[in-house]
Amino acid sequence: MIIGLTGRNGAGKGVMADYLARKSFEAHSLSDILREELRARGEPITRERLIETGRELRAAYGPAVLAERTLARLAPNKNYVIDSIRHPAEVEALRSRESFVLVNVEAPLEVRFERNRERGREADPKTLEAFRALEEAELESSEEEGQQLVRCEEMADHAVVNDSTIEGFCERIDRLVGSLLQGSSRPGWDEYFMNIAQVVSSRSNCIKRKVASVVVQDRRIISTGYNGTPRGTRNCNEGGCPRCNELAPAGTALDECLCSHAEENSITQAAYHGISVRGATLYSTYSPCLMCTKMIINAGIAEVVYNENYPLGARAQALLKEAGVTIRQLHL
């Protein structure tokens, strides 16, 4: 899960990020990108320079640049908390990860001013009126590269109020995050095995199309295969297949292609190791061709699940249905 934090100055975003870090969330801040930029320039890190540098980077690289650079640092198998989200384009970029939720941390103006004043920073506003005036100037810029906190607040999925004690705030965080984690989803079996097939396809050595197949029995992978030239021969991407390397038009010179198909390789791989595929389900990133279809039927595979349609696959699908093999398309 990725929990993004937005909110106004002194609301408690940093406190929430630190608390979740102690709860095994890895903490990041979009402001870290700005601090790194200022250090590289040899400039002082002040609130004003952070805001100005954010505008500069958004103008130069697009309004989502801070979120994009932060996302590049995240692995897919951890819980994260990301602080300092101040632009709607940053929210949209972070929403590219399905596990992302945006939380607005809220607190009354007077409470936030007192917290700000207690920090005792020289450049911070000394009166409530000055604090309010500075905040209003930063809330919603008319320029694309400026901060737009109000819009971020409107885009939030959840809100947590921090208007009393730290203990009370942490209790509210626990309730919110607990409900989010308990409600988080994991992929179903079809999506799980198809995602594995997508990863397997990255091993393909074919230069025209990367395809992979995973054979599953009782929710257990018994064989995988990807398209490419036969074992012990020169790889397609090293010039091994003349048809592929000459970039033959689609659907032509198929009798000259030396690449074995993914479904063919997954079935023969099982045979090579003496494993029966009878009654199994075959997951493929493309629907099978006619040749692979005949092999699937004769091997006793009971079901085929595919992601994309093979361009010449209509007759193959009709044959699978005639043979009683279940065939389903799964869009990822």
Side-chain angles (χ1 to χ4, degrees), residues 49-86:
R49 283 302 296 138
L50 287 169
I51 293 173
E52 291 169 7
T53 304
R55 293 171 63 89
E56 293 168 11
L57 291 182
R58 292 187 191 102
Y61 302 105
V65 58
L66 303 183
E68 290 167 351
R69 293 186 181 183
T70 300
L71 281 173
R73 303 178 178 185
L74 308 188
N77 55 354
K78 294 182 181 179
N79 287 329
Y80 293 95
V81 56
I82 300 178
D83 189 10
S84 301
I85 299 171
R86 298 186 173 93

mmCIF file of all heavy atoms in Angstrom, residues 49-86:
data_model
loop_
_atom_site.group_PDB
_atom_site.id
_atom_site.type_symbol
_atom_site.label_atom_id
_atom_site.label_comp_id
_atom_site.label_asym_id
_atom_site.label_seq_id
_atom_site.Cartn_x
_atom_site.Cartn_y
_atom_site.Cartn_z
ATOM 1 N N ARG A 49 13.034 28.538 -0.704
ATOM 2 C CA ARG A 49 13.774 27.923 -1.805
ATOM 3 C C ARG A 49 13.171 26.577 -2.202
ATOM 4 O O ARG A 49 13.213 26.187 -3.368
ATOM 5 C CB ARG A 49 15.251 27.754 -1.435
ATOM 6 C CG ARG A 49 16.048 29.020 -1.506
ATOM 7 C CD ARG A 49 15.997 29.655 -2.887
ATOM 8 N NE ARG A 49 16.613 28.820 -3.914
ATOM 9 C CZ ARG A 49 16.112 28.633 -5.131
ATOM 10 N NH1 ARG A 49 14.978 29.207 -5.499
ATOM 11 N NH2 ARG A 49 16.729 27.854 -6.008
ATOM 12 N N LEU A 50 12.599 25.847 -1.240
ATOM 13 C CA LEU A 50 11.932 24.592 -1.575
ATOM 14 C C LEU A 50 10.745 24.865 -2.506
ATOM 15 O O LEU A 50 10.554 24.163 -3.512
ATOM 16 C CB LEU A 50 11.465 23.880 -0.307
ATOM 17 C CG LEU A 50 12.546 23.229 0.553
ATOM 18 C CD1 LEU A 50 11.976 22.791 1.894
ATOM 19 C CD2 LEU A 50 13.162 22.023 -0.166
ATOM 20 N N ILE A 51 9.948 25.872 -2.181
ATOM 21 C CA ILE A 51 8.791 26.206 -3.012
ATOM 22 C C ILE A 51 9.239 26.671 -4.392
ATOM 23 O O ILE A 51 8.699 26.235 -5.416
ATOM 24 C CB ILE A 51 7.938 27.288 -2.313
ATOM 25 C CG1 ILE A 51 7.305 26.715 -1.029
ATOM 26 C CG2 ILE A 51 6.851 27.795 -3.253
ATOM 27 C CD1 ILE A 51 6.587 27.749 -0.193
ATOM 28 N N GLU A 52 10.252 27.533 -4.430
ATOM 29 C CA GLU A 52 10.740 28.054 -5.711
ATOM 30 C C GLU A 52 11.331 26.939 -6.575
ATOM 31 O O GLU A 52 11.099 26.883 -7.789
ATOM 32 C CB GLU A 52 11.786 29.135 -5.462
ATOM 33 C CG GLU A 52 11.219 30.414 -4.860
ATOM 34 C CD GLU A 52 12.315 31.350 -4.387
ATOM 35 O OE1 GLU A 52 13.508 31.050 -4.655
ATOM 36 O OE2 GLU A 52 11.992 32.379 -3.756
ATOM 37 N N THR A 53 12.074 26.024 -5.937
ATOM 38 C CA THR A 53 12.687 24.926 -6.687
ATOM 39 C C THR A 53 11.622 23.971 -7.212
ATOM 40 O O THR A 53 11.748 23.424 -8.318
ATOM 41 C CB THR A 53 13.698 24.175 -5.800
ATOM 42 O OG1 THR A 53 14.652 25.105 -5.299
ATOM 43 C CG2 THR A 53 14.421 23.092 -6.595
ATOM 44 N N GLY A 54 10.562 23.761 -6.423
ATOM 45 C CA GLY A 54 9.457 22.945 -6.901
ATOM 46 C C GLY A 54 8.838 23.531 -8.158
ATOM 47 O O GLY A 54 8.555 22.813 -9.124
ATOM 48 N N ARG A 55 8.656 24.835 -8.178
ATOM 49 C CA ARG A 55 8.110 25.506 -9.361
ATOM 50 C C ARG A 55 9.057 25.342 -10.551
ATOM 51 O O ARG A 55 8.617 25.094 -11.680
ATOM 52 C CB ARG A 55 7.886 26.990 -9.068
ATOM 53 C CG ARG A 55 6.785 27.271 -8.042
ATOM 54 C CD ARG A 55 6.778 28.737 -7.647
ATOM 55 N NE ARG A 55 6.482 29.584 -8.785
ATOM 56 C CZ ARG A 55 5.262 29.949 -9.160
ATOM 57 N NH1 ARG A 55 4.217 29.523 -8.476
ATOM 58 N NH2 ARG A 55 5.070 30.729 -10.190
ATOM 59 N N GLU A 56 10.355 25.488 -10.283
ATOM 60 C CA GLU A 56 11.343 25.375 -11.361
ATOM 61 C C GLU A 56 11.331 23.970 -11.984
ATOM 62 O O GLU A 56 11.350 23.821 -13.215
ATOM 63 C CB GLU A 56 12.735 25.698 -10.830
ATOM 64 C CG GLU A 56 12.916 27.155 -10.414
ATOM 65 C CD GLU A 56 14.199 27.361 -9.633
ATOM 66 O OE1 GLU A 56 15.035 26.423 -9.591
ATOM 67 O OE2 GLU A 56 14.376 28.450 -9.048
ATOM 68 N N LEU A 57 11.317 22.942 -11.138
ATOM 69 C CA LEU A 57 11.337 21.569 -11.649
ATOM 70 C C LEU A 57 10.048 21.227 -12.390
ATOM 71 O O LEU A 57 10.073 20.554 -13.422
ATOM 72 C CB LEU A 57 11.576 20.584 -10.504
ATOM 73 C CG LEU A 57 12.971 20.618 -9.863
ATOM 74 C CD1 LEU A 57 13.072 19.561 -8.769
ATOM 75 C CD2 LEU A 57 14.056 20.391 -10.898
ATOM 76 N N ARG A 58 8.913 21.696 -11.869
ATOM 77 C CA ARG A 58 7.643 21.428 -12.556
ATOM 78 C C ARG A 58 7.610 22.130 -13.919
ATOM 79 O O ARG A 58 7.084 21.578 -14.892
ATOM 80 C CB ARG A 58 6.466 21.885 -11.702
ATOM 81 C CG ARG A 58 6.267 21.078 -10.426
ATOM 82 C CD ARG A 58 4.976 21.471 -9.712
ATOM 83 N NE ARG A 58 4.903 20.897 -8.380
ATOM 84 C CZ ARG A 58 5.138 21.566 -7.259
ATOM 85 N NH1 ARG A 58 5.446 22.869 -7.313
ATOM 86 N NH2 ARG A 58 5.068 20.970 -6.090
ATOM 87 N N ALA A 59 8.146 23.348 -13.975
ATOM 88 C CA ALA A 59 8.170 24.076 -15.241
ATOM 89 C C ALA A 59 9.083 23.390 -16.250
ATOM 90 O O ALA A 59 8.784 23.343 -17.453
ATOM 91 C CB ALA A 59 8.627 25.517 -15.006
ATOM 92 N N ALA A 60 10.191 22.823 -15.774
ATOM 93 C CA ALA A 60 11.183 22.222 -16.668
ATOM 94 C C ALA A 60 10.819 20.802 -17.087
ATOM 95 O O ALA A 60 11.051 20.406 -18.239
ATOM 96 C CB ALA A 60 12.556 22.227 -16.006
ATOM 97 N N TYR A 61 10.238 20.023 -16.166
ATOM 98 C CA TYR A 61 10.041 18.595 -16.426
ATOM 99 C C TYR A 61 8.585 18.139 -16.337
ATOM 100 O O TYR A 61 8.304 16.945 -16.442
ATOM 101 C CB TYR A 61 10.875 17.770 -15.442
ATOM 102 C CG TYR A 61 12.350 18.084 -15.502
ATOM 103 C CD1 TYR A 61 12.961 18.838 -14.500
ATOM 104 C CD2 TYR A 61 13.131 17.639 -16.561
ATOM 105 C CE1 TYR A 61 14.322 19.141 -14.557
ATOM 106 C CE2 TYR A 61 14.486 17.928 -16.622
ATOM 107 C CZ TYR A 61 15.072 18.683 -15.620
ATOM 108 O OH TYR A 61 16.406 18.974 -15.678
ATOM 109 N N GLY A 62 7.657 19.054 -16.132
ATOM 110 C CA GLY A 62 6.253 18.684 -16.028
ATOM 111 C C GLY A 62 5.780 18.714 -14.589
ATOM 112 O O GLY A 62 6.567 18.508 -13.655
ATOM 113 N N PRO A 63 4.483 18.953 -14.374
ATOM 114 C CA PRO A 63 3.968 19.139 -13.010
ATOM 115 C C PRO A 63 4.025 17.900 -12.133
ATOM 116 O O PRO A 63 3.898 18.004 -10.918
ATOM 117 C CB PRO A 63 2.517 19.583 -13.238
ATOM 118 C CG PRO A 63 2.181 19.084 -14.608
ATOM 119 C CD PRO A 63 3.444 19.150 -15.394
ATOM 120 N N ALA A 64 4.216 16.708 -12.722
ATOM 121 C CA ALA A 64 4.251 15.471 -11.930
ATOM 122 C C ALA A 64 5.665 15.011 -11.622
ATOM 123 O O ALA A 64 5.862 13.909 -11.102
ATOM 124 C CB ALA A 64 3.492 14.360 -12.654
ATOM 125 N N VAL A 65 6.678 15.817 -11.913
ATOM 126 C CA VAL A 65 8.069 15.365 -11.856
ATOM 127 C C VAL A 65 8.464 14.818 -10.485
ATOM 128 O O VAL A 65 9.166 13.802 -10.391
ATOM 129 C CB VAL A 65 9.036 16.496 -12.288
ATOM 130 C CG1 VAL A 65 8.883 17.738 -11.416
ATOM 131 C CG2 VAL A 65 10.470 16.003 -12.282
ATOM 132 N N LEU A 66 8.028 15.462 -9.397
ATOM 133 C CA LEU A 66 8.444 15.007 -8.069
ATOM 134 C C LEU A 66 7.862 13.627 -7.754
ATOM 135 O O LEU A 66 8.556 12.762 -7.207
ATOM 136 C CB LEU A 66 8.009 16.015 -7.000
ATOM 137 C CG LEU A 66 8.511 17.451 -7.183
ATOM 138 C CD1 LEU A 66 8.065 18.318 -6.012
ATOM 139 C CD2 LEU A 66 10.029 17.489 -7.322
ATOM 140 N N ALA A 67 6.596 13.420 -8.116
ATOM 141 C CA ALA A 67 5.965 12.110 -7.892
ATOM 142 C C ALA A 67 6.601 11.049 -8.771
ATOM 143 O O ALA A 67 6.840 9.917 -8.331
ATOM 144 C CB ALA A 67 4.472 12.202 -8.163
ATOM 145 N N GLU A 68 6.896 11.382 -10.023
ATOM 146 C CA GLU A 68 7.490 10.409 -10.945
ATOM 147 C C GLU A 68 8.863 9.965 -10.455
ATOM 148 O O GLU A 68 9.200 8.773 -10.504
ATOM 149 C CB GLU A 68 7.587 11.016 -12.337
ATOM 150 C CG GLU A 68 6.233 11.211 -13.004
ATOM 151 C CD GLU A 68 6.293 12.086 -14.244
ATOM 152 O OE1 GLU A 68 7.359 12.692 -14.497
ATOM 153 O OE2 GLU A 68 5.271 12.175 -14.950
ATOM 154 N N ARG A 69 9.660 10.901 -9.971
ATOM 155 C CA ARG A 69 10.990 10.548 -9.473
ATOM 156 C C ARG A 69 10.901 9.729 -8.184
ATOM 157 O O ARG A 69 11.732 8.851 -7.944
ATOM 158 C CB ARG A 69 11.824 11.809 -9.244
ATOM 159 C CG ARG A 69 12.177 12.538 -10.527
ATOM 160 C CD ARG A 69 13.117 13.705 -10.282
ATOM 161 N NE ARG A 69 13.432 14.414 -11.519
ATOM 162 C CZ ARG A 69 14.272 15.438 -11.604
ATOM 163 N NH1 ARG A 69 14.891 15.881 -10.510
ATOM 164 N NH2 ARG A 69 14.504 16.036 -12.764
ATOM 165 N N THR A 70 9.891 10.000 -7.383
ATOM 166 C CA THR A 70 9.713 9.219 -6.150
ATOM 167 C C THR A 70 9.229 7.813 -6.472
ATOM 168 O O THR A 70 9.715 6.833 -5.894
ATOM 169 C CB THR A 70 8.719 9.931 -5.214
ATOM 170 O OG1 THR A 70 9.232 11.227 -4.876
ATOM 171 C CG2 THR A 70 8.511 9.136 -3.934
ATOM 172 N N LEU A 71 8.275 7.680 -7.398
ATOM 173 C CA LEU A 71 7.766 6.352 -7.782
ATOM 174 C C LEU A 71 8.890 5.456 -8.292
ATOM 175 O O LEU A 71 8.867 4.237 -8.066
ATOM 176 C CB LEU A 71 6.687 6.489 -8.855
ATOM 177 C CG LEU A 71 5.292 6.888 -8.389
ATOM 178 C CD1 LEU A 71 4.387 7.147 -9.577
ATOM 179 C CD2 LEU A 71 4.688 5.815 -7.488
ATOM 180 N N ALA A 72 9.861 6.039 -8.967
ATOM 181 C CA ALA A 72 10.971 5.249 -9.507
ATOM 182 C C ALA A 72 11.802 4.601 -8.397
ATOM 183 O O ALA A 72 12.556 3.665 -8.656
ATOM 184 C CB ALA A 72 11.863 6.128 -10.377
ATOM 185 N N ARG A 73 11.645 5.075 -7.171
ATOM 186 C CA ARG A 73 12.414 4.542 -6.043
ATOM 187 C C ARG A 73 11.653 3.465 -5.262
ATOM 188 O O ARG A 73 12.193 2.906 -4.302
ATOM 189 C CB ARG A 73 12.780 5.682 -5.082
ATOM 190 C CG ARG A 73 13.559 6.803 -5.751
ATOM 191 C CD ARG A 73 13.857 7.939 -4.788
ATOM 192 N NE ARG A 73 14.653 8.968 -5.444
ATOM 193 C CZ ARG A 73 15.147 10.033 -4.820
ATOM 194 N NH1 ARG A 73 14.925 10.211 -3.518
ATOM 195 N NH2 ARG A 73 15.866 10.916 -5.477
ATOM 196 N N LEU A 74 10.402 3.187 -5.635
ATOM 197 C CA LEU A 74 9.558 2.287 -4.852
ATOM 198 C C LEU A 74 9.546 0.885 -5.435
ATOM 199 O O LEU A 74 9.397 0.709 -6.640
ATOM 200 C CB LEU A 74 8.127 2.819 -4.782
ATOM 201 C CG LEU A 74 7.925 4.262 -4.335
ATOM 202 C CD1 LEU A 74 6.440 4.547 -4.138
ATOM 203 C CD2 LEU A 74 8.699 4.582 -3.064
ATOM 204 N N ALA A 75 9.690 -0.099 -4.573
ATOM 205 C CA ALA A 75 9.544 -1.499 -4.959
ATOM 206 C C ALA A 75 8.066 -1.887 -4.843
ATOM 207 O O ALA A 75 7.299 -1.226 -4.132
ATOM 208 C CB ALA A 75 10.405 -2.388 -4.060
ATOM 209 N N PRO A 76 7.628 -2.962 -5.510
ATOM 210 C CA PRO A 76 6.200 -3.292 -5.517
ATOM 211 C C PRO A 76 5.712 -4.056 -4.293
ATOM 212 O O PRO A 76 4.527 -4.319 -4.178
ATOM 213 C CB PRO A 76 6.065 -4.160 -6.774
ATOM 214 C CG PRO A 76 7.396 -4.807 -6.910
ATOM 215 C CD PRO A 76 8.410 -3.805 -6.422
ATOM 216 N N ASN A 77 6.593 -4.428 -3.382
ATOM 217 C CA ASN A 77 6.195 -5.358 -2.315
ATOM 218 C C ASN A 77 6.361 -4.785 -0.915
ATOM 219 O O ASN A 77 6.607 -5.508 0.034
ATOM 220 C CB ASN A 77 6.999 -6.659 -2.441
ATOM 221 C CG ASN A 77 8.506 -6.413 -2.441
ATOM 222 O OD1 ASN A 77 8.939 -5.271 -2.457
ATOM 223 N ND2 ASN A 77 9.285 -7.471 -2.415
ATOM 224 N N LYS A 78 6.240 -3.472 -0.771
ATOM 225 C CA LYS A 78 6.357 -2.836 0.539
ATOM 226 C C LYS A 78 5.192 -1.894 0.766
ATOM 227 O O LYS A 78 4.486 -1.508 -0.167
ATOM 228 C CB LYS A 78 7.662 -2.030 0.634
ATOM 229 C CG LYS A 78 8.947 -2.832 0.582
ATOM 230 C CD LYS A 78 10.140 -1.888 0.731
ATOM 231 C CE LYS A 78 11.465 -2.622 0.667
ATOM 232 N NZ LYS A 78 12.615 -1.685 0.786
ATOM 233 N N ASN A 79 5.031 -1.478 2.027
ATOM 234 C CA ASN A 79 4.101 -0.408 2.358
ATOM 235 C C ASN A 79 4.883 0.905 2.429
ATOM 236 O O ASN A 79 5.974 0.961 3.017
ATOM 237 C CB ASN A 79 3.418 -0.665 3.699
ATOM 238 C CG ASN A 79 2.392 -1.776 3.622
ATOM 239 O OD1 ASN A 79 1.765 -1.972 2.581
ATOM 240 N ND2 ASN A 79 2.206 -2.502 4.704
ATOM 241 N N TYR A 80 4.309 1.952 1.831
ATOM 242 C CA TYR A 80 4.984 3.246 1.784
ATOM 243 C C TYR A 80 4.069 4.352 2.285
ATOM 244 O O TYR A 80 2.846 4.265 2.165
ATOM 245 C CB TYR A 80 5.392 3.591 0.347
ATOM 246 C CG TYR A 80 6.457 2.699 -0.229
ATOM 247 C CD1 TYR A 80 6.117 1.599 -1.015
ATOM 248 C CD2 TYR A 80 7.809 2.949 -0.005
ATOM 249 C CE1 TYR A 80 7.089 0.773 -1.561
ATOM 250 C CE2 TYR A 80 8.789 2.126 -0.542
ATOM 251 C CZ TYR A 80 8.429 1.046 -1.311
ATOM 252 O OH TYR A 80 9.398 0.226 -1.841
ATOM 253 N N VAL A 81 4.682 5.402 2.836
ATOM 254 C CA VAL A 81 3.974 6.645 3.112
ATOM 255 C C VAL A 81 4.759 7.754 2.414
ATOM 256 O O VAL A 81 5.990 7.813 2.519
ATOM 257 C CB VAL A 81 3.826 6.905 4.624
ATOM 258 C CG1 VAL A 81 5.173 6.920 5.345
ATOM 259 C CG2 VAL A 81 3.065 8.208 4.862
ATOM 260 N N ILE A 82 4.040 8.603 1.663
ATOM 261 C CA ILE A 82 4.676 9.671 0.891
ATOM 262 C C ILE A 82 4.092 11.005 1.331
ATOM 263 O O ILE A 82 2.889 11.249 1.215
ATOM 264 C CB ILE A 82 4.464 9.467 -0.621
ATOM 265 C CG1 ILE A 82 5.075 8.138 -1.064
ATOM 266 C CG2 ILE A 82 5.082 10.622 -1.409
ATOM 267 C CD1 ILE A 82 4.867 7.837 -2.535
ATOM 268 N N ASP A 83 4.954 11.862 1.815
ATOM 269 C CA ASP A 83 4.568 13.160 2.361
ATOM 270 C C ASP A 83 4.752 14.264 1.310
ATOM 271 O O ASP A 83 5.377 14.048 0.273
ATOM 272 C CB ASP A 83 5.458 13.433 3.589
ATOM 273 C CG ASP A 83 5.017 14.655 4.365
ATOM 274 O OD1 ASP A 83 3.931 15.199 4.085
ATOM 275 O OD2 ASP A 83 5.777 15.079 5.263
ATOM 276 N N SER A 84 4.168 15.412 1.600
ATOM 277 C CA SER A 84 4.396 16.658 0.843
ATOM 278 C C SER A 84 3.829 16.625 -0.575
ATOM 279 O O SER A 84 4.469 17.091 -1.523
ATOM 280 C CB SER A 84 5.892 16.998 0.793
ATOM 281 O OG SER A 84 6.421 17.145 2.088
ATOM 282 N N ILE A 85 2.633 16.101 -0.743
ATOM 283 C CA ILE A 85 1.959 16.107 -2.048
ATOM 284 C C ILE A 85 1.192 17.418 -2.162
ATOM 285 O O ILE A 85 0.281 17.688 -1.374
ATOM 286 C CB ILE A 85 1.018 14.901 -2.175
ATOM 287 C CG1 ILE A 85 1.833 13.602 -2.072
ATOM 288 C CG2 ILE A 85 0.239 14.963 -3.477
ATOM 289 C CD1 ILE A 85 0.996 12.356 -1.971
ATOM 290 N N ARG A 86 1.574 18.243 -3.151
ATOM 291 C CA ARG A 86 1.042 19.605 -3.211
ATOM 292 C C ARG A 86 0.488 19.983 -4.588
ATOM 293 O O ARG A 86 0.182 21.146 -4.819
ATOM 294 C CB ARG A 86 2.134 20.607 -2.815
ATOM 295 C CG ARG A 86 2.644 20.444 -1.388
ATOM 296 C CD ARG A 86 3.614 21.558 -1.027
ATOM 297 N NE ARG A 86 3.984 21.518 0.373
ATOM 298 C CZ ARG A 86 5.053 20.891 0.853
ATOM 299 N NH1 ARG A 86 5.849 20.238 0.014
ATOM 300 N NH2 ARG A 86 5.324 20.917 2.132
#
